[in-house]
């Protein structure tokens, strides 16, 4: 079975002390991750080392950065390289979140370069895609997402693409409390998988984990994750509450 993943995206929330407490609280709660299940915590940069230390002994639990730069090193004030992430033990990074695309003008091509530098260093990109409300209302979501995937990922080899985790996050469902229905999620996840199948073949496409993001909560996670092409979630608000996120972890199939 392909990996089923509950990924927390803390975004720009919590102090160091609050983050430490949240991780301690989640770790203390009962959860069991089987071999094909993972929990990932995408925490702010200053907390990566702390979080990595806390989960170092935990099986199938990982820390992720929320971004990285597309260059190896050098005069890029304020940016963080993949090498820096590796040096604090971090092997996962969220790329192309809609908030970064919108507020920091990250383009598909630029994100493709970030994906490349991650894969060249054995860092797993959690690559976000998803359409705005206006696109969904015009029924243009498939074309929109297909273009994001094509322009950022389709230059990758068959081996490389299987190292990428996809997170489909419709912008209209992020932080709005308006979740895609499980049928809507399944429909577009199946479409995304079909795009990978067309490019790389069925066997490869079946290996790629596709997470859903957008108002995932403890009370809707099980229903969403039960869909055949929904392989877990990327969770914002609900990942800041220990019991909520733990219940989401426990909703993985
Ligand atoms: P919410 O779960 O708060 O809607 O955020 C989703 C998200 O953007 C995760 O990356």
């Amino acid at each position: 079975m392909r990996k089923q993943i509950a990924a927390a995206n803390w975004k720009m929330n919590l102090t160091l002390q609050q983050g430490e407490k949240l991780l301690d609280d989640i770790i203390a709660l009962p959860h069991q991750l089987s071999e094909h299940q993972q929990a990932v915590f995408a925490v702010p940069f200053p907390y990566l080392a702390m979080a990595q230390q806390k989960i170092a002994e935990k099986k199938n639990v990982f820390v992720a950065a929320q971004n990285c730069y597309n260059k190896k090193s050098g005069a890029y004030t304020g940016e963080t390289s993949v090498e820096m992430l590796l040096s604090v033990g971090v092997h996962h990074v969220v790329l192309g979140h809609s908030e970064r695309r919108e507020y920091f003008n990250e383009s598909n091509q630029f994100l493709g370069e970030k994906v490349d530098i991650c894969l060249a260093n054995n860092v797993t990109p959690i690559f976000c895609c998803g359409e705005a409300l206006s696109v969904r209302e015009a029924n243009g979501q498939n074309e929109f997402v297909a273009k994001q995937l094509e322009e950022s990922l389709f230059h990758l080899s068959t081996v490389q693409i299987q190292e990428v985790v996809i997170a489909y996050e419709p912008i209209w469902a992020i932080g709005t409390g308006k979740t895609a229905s499980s049928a809507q999620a399944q429909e577009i996840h199946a479409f995304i998988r079909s795009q990978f199948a067309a490019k790389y073949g069925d066997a490869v496409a079946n290996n790629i984990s596709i997470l859903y993001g957008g108002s995932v909560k403890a009370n809707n996670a099980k229903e969403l994750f039960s869909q055949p092409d929904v392989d877990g979630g990327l969770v914002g608000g609900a990942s800041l509450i220990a019991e909520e996120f733990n219940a989401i972890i426990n909703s993985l199939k």
Side-chain angles (χ1 to χ4, degrees):
M1 190 179 200
R2 60 180 166 256
K3 280 187 219 105
Q4 304 293 303
I5 304 169
N9 179 5
W10 289 4
K11 308 192 180 184
M12 197 175 75
N13 291 299
L14 308 177
T15 61
L16 174 66
Q17 293 73 21
Q18 290 167 336
E20 284 185 301
K21 179 164 183 333
L22 177 58
L23 278 178
D24 286 339
D25 288 350
I26 292 172
I27 289 168
L29 288 166
H31 51 258
Q32 200 170 5
L33 291 164
S34 32
E35 209 43 60
H36 68 281
Q37 296 173 333
Q38 297 184 349
V40 178
F41 294 89
V43 308
F45 286 119
Y47 314 159
L48 286 172
M50 172 281 288
Q52 182 58 35
Q53 264 188 344
K54 281 204 188 289
I55 60 93
E57 304 294 309
K58 301 273 164 208
K59 209 162 167 267
N60 293 344
V61 181
F62 302 96
V63 169
Q66 296 176 14
N67 184 27
C68 70
Y69 202 46
N70 66 334
K71 299 281 195 292
K72 189 174 169 356
S73 62
Y76 303 103
T77 303
E79 290 298 331
T80 303
S81 71
V82 167
E83 195 174 49
M84 292 172 186
L85 300 181
L86 288 171
S87 73
V88 293
V90 170
H91 292 259
H92 291 72
V93 59
V94 175
L95 291 179
H97 193 282
S98 59
E99 288 148 18
R100 295 216 56 88
R101 292 174 186 267
E102 181 179 353
Y103 305 133
F104 305 98
N105 296 319
E106 297 197 355
S107 68
N108 292 339
Q109 192 226 326
F110 182 54
L111 291 168
E113 292 171 11
K114 293 188 181 197
V115 168
D116 287 344
I117 199 159
C118 285
L119 294 176
N121 289 281
N122 295 321
V123 167
T124 301
I126 301 172
F127 180 84
C128 304
C129 57
E131 79 288 351
L133 183 61
S134 57
V135 175
R136 169 70 60 162
E137 282 174 347
N139 201 27
Q141 63 273 13
N142 287 4
E143 291 72 21
F144 187 88
V145 169
K147 187 168 174 347
Q148 289 181 319
L149 300 176
E150 192 181 325
E151 293 187 357
S152 296
L153 300 179
F154 278 12
H155 62 286
L156 299 176
S157 72
T158 299
V159 173
Q160 286 176 316
I161 195 71
Q162 293 176 80
E163 300 303 319
V164 179
V165 173
I166 305 298
Y168 167 70
E169 300 203 307
I171 297 169
W172 46 271
I174 294 176
T176 58
K178 208 172 161 190
T179 321
S181 68
S182 53
Q184 280 175 320
Q186 169 56 27
E187 189 180 18
I188 192 150
H189 280 228
F191 170 76
I192 290 169
R193 200 175 306 286
S194 77
Q195 296 300 105
F196 288 119
K199 171 78 184 167
Y200 296 100
D202 284 343
V204 170
N206 280 329
N207 254 341
I208 298 176
S209 300
I210 307 175
L211 318 186
Y212 168 79
S215 299
V216 175
K217 310 278 178 220
N219 65 11
N220 60 21
K222 208 160 189 100
E223 162 78 15
L224 285 161
F225 299 173
S226 71
Q227 301 301 309
D229 286 294
V230 178
D231 304 314
L234 180 57
V235 186
S239 76
L240 302 174
I241 303 160
E243 293 75 15
E244 277 273 320
F245 190 62
N246 200 59
I248 292 168
I249 295 173
N250 287 332
S251 301
L252 289 171
K253 61 176 176 274

